[in-house]
């Protein structure tokens, strides 16, 4: 008996599940499905996005509905057109072996008469946005007076979007005896009110802790001056060459503006907001799904429907007004068991908001530094080297090789490499070598580190030649380093994994141990190489970069709640005096 069978599901569903390749139920499915199948009960289920809620209500609903009857028996309300379509598609997949079952989606922005026609043909399950549903009830295009089951999916988002009155109206057109199943990522008091008002002794299910953000997400903030937001965004993107991200702005105008600037600056970016036509939005979303768009700049409302699993970074270009909204934003990453990073670009006057969010998500933020030009150059350089290594050779070149050899004659290998890399890199380097420090200085120099002063307990930034391609994320790499070096939990910090390499920090007194351990160190026959990074630790705790540029040291950020070490003062010692050389 499979685990799904044990939940009480019948053959048509089990067959579909096996076609879908689901191996075992997710937690919310394990907890909801047996209850909904066996009991005639209302239900409130709290679970993060990406935890499989659609099947948690979809399987039981499909099994319980009588497909022989054409009456509408199940209604699912969801906040956006995109979610509506996603749920409908999922339910169609789940019910592929249930003959005669029709699932119809109704939502705004598409022909209402066509949707009415589909309903008329017989739709046992209707998936709807509240606005269009209300509209169609008013026009008597849909009859929900005989439904047995009503699902409020993403209830918190629906209420956030101001659908309370619509939902109330819609529910008043449904029979009293129906069962209501409410699914939500968070439980703000508005949702509690709905549960109280419209439900009877609901069974409550919570997956993970209430109101907690997905723990696979690391939260980071970067303090910059208000005018440096855009420059900071660019650096964060440049420091993460493989980035696949949603950038959240507060207004449609900012969204459009930031996207346009990114595109002008050569990034694969796109805008998603309500002033675009549905067609334009579909185009952007398609490019994003195909990863042709690497940075999707979006408003909160427009991003509601985004269901893309591999988003590596959520970037809060500005913080939202509502804390709740932050949870929704950061929930776009760290899905499907992957880890993700939610970054907040923030000015000093907004810092107190971080505390409020920490309280809400029950997770601490890391205070990080916008990487400086040197770190970004290093990252780009290694990235470029890897790109060259992995480039498929174009056979057409063979014919021209003798001629090319003539041109390049007398240049040795090292020199040739330098030249090839310089082709792309110099432009980058020129841009960043003159760049300024974007990090907003705080009260300054409490610890009295003066220019050129290298504290012996400083933090050292390292480069290691393994990264995400080797199956590491920041958590697992940290574990690996700790285990290999036999260190304590806090000794390794600011772990930043990139595609084929990574960075991390330790305190300076551990440098010898670390470099020693990773001399001639092999895993599976491959050398694992660790070097002290030339960057002072830009996105982390090091402060040497400021000294190097002769600015005042930025002392310890007093209120910093991030993990131990991240706030430690001092840049790394060894190569601190060296300036912008030795990239090759
Ligand atoms: P939520 O509504 O909680 O955000 P979804 O229902 O949209 O999550 O599911 C997220 C993804 O996980 C979907 O692509 C879905 O097909 C997949 N999924 C759902 N249940 C399982 C399972 N038991 N095993 C594997 N994948 C699953
Ligand atoms: Mg869902």
């Amino acid at each position: 008996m499979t685990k799904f069978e044990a939940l009480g599901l019948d053959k048509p569903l089990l067959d579909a599940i096996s076609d879908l390749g689901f191996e075992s139920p997710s937690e919310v499915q394990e907890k909801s499905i047996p209850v909904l199948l066996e009991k005639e009960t209302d239900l409130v289920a709290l679970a993060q996005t990406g935890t499989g809620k659609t099947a948690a209500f979809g399987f039981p609903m499909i099994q319980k509905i009588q497909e022989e009857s054409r009456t509408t028996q199940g209604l699912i309300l969801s906040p956006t057109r995109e979610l509506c379509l996603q749920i409908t598609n999922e339910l169609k997949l789940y019910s592929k072996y249930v003959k005669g079952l029709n699932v119809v989606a109704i939502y705004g922005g598409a022909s209402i008469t066509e949707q009415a026609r589909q309903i008329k043909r017989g739709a046992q399950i209707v998936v709807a946005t509240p606005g269009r549903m209300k509209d169609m009830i008013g026009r008597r295009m849909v009859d929900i007076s005989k439904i047995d089951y009503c699902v409020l999916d993403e209830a918190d988002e629906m209420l956030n979007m101001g659908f309370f009155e619509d939902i109330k109206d819609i529910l008043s057109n449904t029979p009293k005896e129906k069962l209501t199943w409410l699914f939500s990522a968070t439980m703000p008091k508005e949702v509690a009110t709905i549960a109280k008002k419209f439900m009877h002794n609901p069974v409550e299910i919570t997956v993970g802790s209430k109101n907690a953000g997905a723990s696979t997400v690391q939260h980071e903030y970067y303090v910059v001056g208000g005018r440096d937001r855009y420059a900071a965004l660019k650096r964060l993107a440049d420091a993460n060459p493989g980035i696949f991200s949603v950038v959240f702005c507060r207004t449609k105008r900012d969204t459009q503006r930031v996207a346009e600037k990114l595109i002008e600056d050569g990034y694969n970016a796109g805008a998603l907001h309500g002033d675009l036509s549905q067609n334009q939005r579909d185009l952007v979303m398609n490019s994003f799904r195909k990863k042709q768009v690497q940075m999707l700049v979006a408003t909160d409302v427009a991003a509601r429907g985004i269901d893309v699993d591999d988003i590596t970074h959520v970037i809060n270009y500005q913080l939202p007004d509502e804390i709740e909204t932050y949870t929704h934003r950061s929930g776009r990453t760290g899905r499907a068991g992957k880890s993700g990073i939610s970054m907040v670009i923030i000015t000093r006057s907004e810092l107190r908001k971080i505390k409020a969010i920490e309280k809400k998500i029950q997770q601490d933020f890391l205070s990080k530094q916008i990487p400086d030009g040197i770190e970004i150059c290093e990252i780009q350089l290694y990235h470029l080297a890897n790109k060259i290594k992995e480039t498929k050779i174009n056979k057409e070149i063979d014919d021209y090789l003798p001629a090319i050899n003539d041109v390049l004659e007398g240049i040795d290998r090292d020199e040739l490499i330098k030249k090839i890399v310089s082709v792309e890199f110099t432009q980058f380097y020129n841009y960043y070598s003159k760049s300024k420090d974007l990090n907003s200085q705080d009260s300054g120099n409490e610890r009295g580190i003066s220019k050129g002063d290298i504290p012996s307990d400083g933090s050292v930034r390292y480069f290691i030649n393994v990264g995400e391609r080797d199956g590491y994320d920041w958590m697992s790499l940290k574990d690996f380093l700790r285990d290999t070096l036999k260190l304590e939990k806090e000794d390794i910090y600011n772990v930043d994994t990139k595609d084929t390499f990574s960075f991390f920090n330790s305190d300076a007194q551990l440098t010898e141990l670390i470099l020693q351990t990773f001399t001639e160190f092999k895993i599976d026959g491959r050398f694992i190489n660790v070097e002290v990074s030339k960057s002072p630790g830009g996105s982390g705790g090091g402060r040497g970069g400021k000294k190097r540029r002769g600015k005042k040291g930025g002392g310890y950020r007093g209120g910093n709640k991030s993990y131990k070490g991240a706030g430690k003062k001092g840049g790394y010692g060894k190569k601190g005096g060296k300036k912008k050389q030795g990239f090759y």
Side-chain angles (χ1 to χ4, degrees), residues 210-452:
K210 268 187 197 175
N211 284 342
S215 62
T216 48
V217 178
Q218 172 167 301
H219 303 266
E220 306 175 345
Y221 67 85
Y222 298 80
V223 186
V224 301
R227 287 204 202 126
D228 289 331
R229 275 186 209 277
Y230 179 72
L233 173 65
K234 269 180 63 164
R235 286 213 198 162
L236 292 174
D238 289 339
N240 294 281
I243 196 167
F244 182 52
S245 64
V246 185
V247 179
F248 284 97
C249 295
R250 214 153 25 190
T251 64
K252 293 177 206 168
R253 225 182 102 236
D254 285 345
T255 303
Q256 184 65 30
R257 206 173 45 92
V258 169
E260 277 175 16
K261 274 170 99 171
L262 284 172
I263 293 165
E264 275 169 27
D265 286 340
Y267 296 84
N268 300 320
L272 187 72
H273 56 75
D275 283 352
L276 301 172
S277 70
Q278 189 59 54
N279 195 29
Q280 286 172 311
R281 276 189 276 169
D282 288 346
L283 279 174
V284 171
M285 274 314 292
N286 283 338
S287 312
F288 187 57
R289 284 206 181 86
K290 287 189 212 139
K291 301 199 173 163
Q292 289 156 351
V293 163
Q294 266 185 292
M295 301 179 77
L296 181 70
V297 191
T299 58
D300 289 296
V301 175
R304 288 257 150 75
I306 297 176
D307 159 38
V308 177
D309 278 344
D310 321 326
I311 293 169
T312 58
H313 295 76
V314 163
I315 303 182
N316 294 263
Y317 187 76
Q318 296 133 337
L319 270 182
D321 291 323
E322 303 278 326
I323 295 179
E324 207 68 56
T325 308
Y326 179 82
T327 320
H328 291 297
R329 288 181 176 186
S330 58
R332 300 293 159 217
T333 186
R335 289 168 64 92
K338 298 193 180 89
S339 68
I341 297 178
S342 174
M343 299 171 154
V344 179
I345 301 173
I346 196 171
T347 58
R348 256 193 309 134
S349 60
E350 299 172 300
L351 264 178
R352 65 195 155 71
K353 289 189 187 168
I354 293 289
K355 293 269 173 304
I357 296 174
E358 284 179 334
K359 224 165 121 189
K360 186 84 183 181
I361 63 175
Q362 291 171 23
Q363 219 180 315
D364 284 353
F365 271 79
L366 301 181
S367 157
K368 292 201 126 191
Q369 300 264 302
I370 296 287
D372 62 11
I374 298 167
E375 176 161 353
I376 290 177
C377 286
E378 282 183 352
I379 290 170
Q380 290 287 339
L381 193 55
Y382 294 124
H383 186 71
L384 182 58
N386 274 299
K387 207 165 107 185
I388 291 173
K389 187 176 160 192
E390 280 160 26
T391 296
K392 267 222 184 93
I393 290 176
N394 185 336
K395 285 240 157 50
E396 298 297 311
I397 293 172
D398 286 357
D399 293 343
Y400 302 94
L401 204 55
I404 294 173
N405 266 328
D406 277 351
V407 175
L408 299 178
E409 200 177 306
I411 303 175
D412 71 14
R413 180 189 144 98
D414 274 3
E415 203 179 343
L416 188 61
I417 290 174
K418 287 183 201 176
K419 281 177 184 282
I420 291 172
V421 171
S422 301
V423 171
E424 267 195 50
F425 181 66
T426 301
Q427 203 185 2
F428 214 87
Y429 175 73
N430 288 343
Y431 176 80
Y432 271 114
S433 61
K434 295 179 206 77
S435 64
K436 61 168 188 162
D437 179 13
L438 293 182
N439 297 290
S440 191
Q441 310 291 302
D442 41 26
S443 48
N445 219 345
E446 298 123 71
R447 308 266 171 126
I449 310 168
S450 61
K451 188 179 165 190

Side-chain angles (χ1 to χ4, degrees), residues 48-50 52-54 57 83 86-87 153-154 183 335:
Q48 289 300 314
T49 27
K53 292 192 287 294
T54 316
F57 60 76
L83 282 172
Q86 267 168 39
I87 294 168
D153 191 30
E154 311 258 359
F183 288 78
R335 289 168 64 92

Side-chain angles (χ1 to χ4, degrees), residues 42-46 187 201-206 210:
D42 285 353
L43 173 97
V44 172
L46 293 184
M187 190 71 178
N201 299 324
V203 171
E204 285 191 30
I205 284 170
T206 304
K210 268 187 197 175

Side-chain angles (χ1 to χ4, degrees), residues 4 20-26 28-29 47-57 59 86 90 94 153-154 307 309 335-336:
F4 280 107
L20 282 164
F22 292 3
E23 282 171 9
S24 56
S26 69
V28 69
Q29 292 164 5
Q48 289 300 314
T49 27
T51 51
K53 292 192 287 294
T54 316
F57 60 76
F59 291 168
Q86 267 168 39
E90 288 269 316
Y94 302 162
D153 191 30
E154 311 258 359
D307 159 38
D309 278 344
R335 289 168 64 92

